[in-house]
mmCIF file of all heavy atoms in Angstrom:
data_model
loop_
_atom_site.group_PDB
_atom_site.id
_atom_site.type_symbol
_atom_site.label_atom_id
_atom_site.label_comp_id
_atom_site.label_asym_id
_atom_site.label_seq_id
_atom_site.Cartn_x
_atom_site.Cartn_y
_atom_site.Cartn_z
ATOM 1 N N MET A 1 5.510 5.427 324.791
ATOM 2 C CA MET A 1 6.715 5.395 323.962
ATOM 3 C C MET A 1 7.995 5.389 324.801
ATOM 4 O O MET A 1 9.062 5.152 324.275
ATOM 5 C CB MET A 1 6.745 6.626 323.071
ATOM 6 C CG MET A 1 5.974 6.463 321.785
ATOM 7 S SD MET A 1 6.310 7.849 320.714
ATOM 8 C CE MET A 1 4.663 8.325 320.270
ATOM 9 N N SER A 121 24.538 0.003 304.386
ATOM 10 C CA SER A 121 24.612 -0.215 305.832
ATOM 11 C C SER A 121 23.241 -0.509 306.438
ATOM 12 O O SER A 121 23.084 -0.515 307.660
ATOM 13 C CB SER A 121 25.206 1.027 306.516
ATOM 14 O OG SER A 121 26.402 1.408 305.901
ATOM 15 N N GLY A 239 9.666 5.365 284.059
ATOM 16 C CA GLY A 239 10.511 4.170 284.157
ATOM 17 C C GLY A 239 11.602 4.115 283.101
ATOM 18 O O GLY A 239 12.052 3.034 282.715
ATOM 19 N N ARG A 243 19.752 9.223 279.934
ATOM 20 C CA ARG A 243 21.019 9.835 280.373
ATOM 21 C C ARG A 243 21.003 11.312 279.954
ATOM 22 O O ARG A 243 20.299 11.673 279.001
ATOM 23 C CB ARG A 243 22.203 9.109 279.730
ATOM 24 C CG ARG A 243 22.354 7.671 280.213
ATOM 25 C CD ARG A 243 23.656 7.059 279.713
ATOM 26 N NE ARG A 243 23.805 7.169 278.265
ATOM 27 C CZ ARG A 243 23.292 6.327 277.388
ATOM 28 N NH1 ARG A 243 22.608 5.279 277.785
ATOM 29 N NH2 ARG A 243 23.482 6.513 276.096
ATOM 30 N N GLY A 281 6.959 3.225 271.937
ATOM 31 C CA GLY A 281 7.576 2.459 273.019
ATOM 32 C C GLY A 281 8.680 3.217 273.734
ATOM 33 O O GLY A 281 9.306 2.697 274.649
#
Side-chain angles (χ1 to χ4, degrees):
M1 275 190 230
S121 309
R243 294 189 307 276

